[in-house]
Amino acid sequence: MAEDAQVPGNGDGRPFWRIVVAEATGCTDNYYFEEVHQYYTHGNAWCLPVGGDTTLCELKDAGVKLAVVSNFDTRLRKLLKDLNVSDMFDAIVVSSEVGFEKPAPDIFKIALNKIGVEASNAVHVGDDETADKAGANAIGLECWLWDEDVKTFYEIRDRIL
């Protein structure tokens, strides 16, 4: 991926996603890009990992505060709603909306503030060593990396509960 386009950025992330689509498909046609971008604006283009919705419900029912901290674009809220999980989160913090991208400590601090939890009493689950783990650890927030520290949503549930 191009070094100058690491995260979606502001708005709907078109400049970032244009590079991703071009590199993934070899096609730079604008019409093709718009079709792909529009397709991924709807929840039916996405799916939750196995156990995702069940685990979120169980954690929420147990009183665990849940937040999304994402380097995504403005489409994320709609996608979470389309996937019927947005109501499970006490906070949704999107980099393109708050002006900070992981690994910046501020994006993690915003999420913790919104859910009213201290970093020492929370865990962040992510998939990137730098953006997630280094960013979270910089403010004293534990981070579990997907496929390294945890491999399933059920494992996350069991470790938390």
Side-chain angles (χ1 to χ4, degrees):
M1 184 174 305
E3 290 299 315
D4 60 342
Q6 294 299 313
V7 294
N10 292 328
D12 63 5
R14 272 186 164 72
F16 170 83
W17 292 117
R18 192 176 307 282
I19 292 168
V20 171
V21 170
E23 288 184 2
T25 66
C27 182
T28 58
D29 178 74
N30 190 53
Y31 178 78
Y32 176 75
F33 165 74
E34 289 298 331
E35 193 172 312
V36 170
H37 191 267
Q38 183 62 27
Y39 175 76
Y40 285 101
T41 299
H42 305 285
N44 60 354
W46 303 82
C47 65
L48 294 174
V50 172
D53 52 351
T54 304
T55 296
L56 291 171
C57 283
E58 290 174 358
L59 291 172
K60 184 80 170 169
D61 289 347
V64 175
K65 298 284 187 172
L66 300 171
V68 172
V69 179
S70 179
N71 283 356
F72 202 71
D73 59 59
T74 54
R75 297 174 298 164
L76 183 59
R77 289 181 187 279
K78 179 188 179 312
L79 294 174
L80 293 172
K81 186 174 182 178
D82 288 354
L83 291 168
N84 297 312
V85 295
S86 63
D87 291 341
M88 294 185 203
F89 297 103
D90 300 289
I92 299 171
V93 181
V94 186
S95 61
S96 60
E97 296 175 354
V98 299
F100 299 105
E101 298 170 344
K102 297 181 295 181
D106 291 318
I107 194 167
F108 295 101
K109 290 177 184 177
I110 290 167
L112 289 167
N113 186 50
K114 285 182 178 253
I115 64 172
V117 175
E118 296 292 323
S120 60
N121 294 325
V123 64
H124 173 72
V125 179
D127 62 4
D128 185 271
E129 184 75 36
T130 301
D132 292 303
K133 192 159 198 154
N137 291 168
I139 64 162
L141 178 59
E142 184 177 0
C143 178
W144 300 336
L145 288 179
W146 188 262
D147 274 339
E148 189 174 313
D149 301 310
V150 291
K151 298 187 183 312
T152 68
F153 272 90
Y154 302 121
E155 186 177 351
I156 294 168
R157 176 202 59 208
D158 293 345
R159 288 181 71 176
I160 291 173
L161 299 179

